[in-house]
Amino acid sequence: MPLKIIEHFDSSFTLAPVAQAALFSLLRGESFLSQLSAQIEGKTVEFTELLFQPVPYTTATPKGMPAEFEKYHADANYIIINVPPNFMFQAKIFKPSRLCAIYRRLDHDN
């Protein structure tokens, strides 16, 4: 099966206000924040309300994310996670099928 080269991938999306509110509530949930904190050595995290749709890896997008979000990938004060599929389902978000969320580490040692 040959590889398909993607010249342009539209990563824009819009969430319905109700779906966005439901998703943000889940991403800010105390239990979920505790799970994230445990994964990064007990550091406290805060949801930045920044979401993006992963994009295909290309020379223009080597991190698999829209270029405007790459600055967060390089900054140790932020973490990027895949939004759990069950959160997408609970918020009734089916398009796009995958999202990533950006969190800020609040007590990061510089």
Side-chain angles (χ1 to χ4, degrees):
M1 177 159 56
L3 293 175
K4 180 179 176 187
I5 297 175
I6 297 174
E7 296 295 331
H8 176 72
F9 183 82
D10 183 11
S11 63
S12 63
F13 64 93
T14 304
L15 299 178
V18 171
Q20 180 177 317
L23 181 61
F24 282 15
S25 176
L26 291 165
L27 291 171
R28 282 193 202 106
E30 191 174 317
S31 172
F32 187 64
L33 292 177
S34 294
Q35 288 177 15
L36 286 179
S37 292
Q39 293 293 315
I40 57 168
E41 300 153 2
K43 305 290 185 189
T44 304
V45 295
E46 170 185 68
F47 179 47
T48 63
E49 297 189 0
L50 295 173
L51 297 171
F52 65 87
Q53 180 179 5
V55 298
Y57 293 94
T58 66
T59 53
T61 58
K63 305 279 188 242
M65 62 183 65
E68 64 267 24
F69 293 100
E70 287 187 9
K71 63 185 175 189
Y72 298 105
H73 183 272
D75 190 332
N77 292 312
Y78 293 89
I79 62 168
I80 299 172
I81 65 155
N82 287 309
V83 173
N86 61 318
F87 283 14
M88 299 282 286
F89 182 77
Q90 289 176 44
K92 296 181 174 51
I93 298 170
F94 305 106
K95 296 273 184 191
S97 61
R98 292 180 54 217
L99 288 174
C100 293
I102 300 175
Y103 285 81
R104 180 178 18 256
R105 294 171 67 157
L106 297 178
D107 51 358
H108 179 68
D109 300 324
N110 289 328

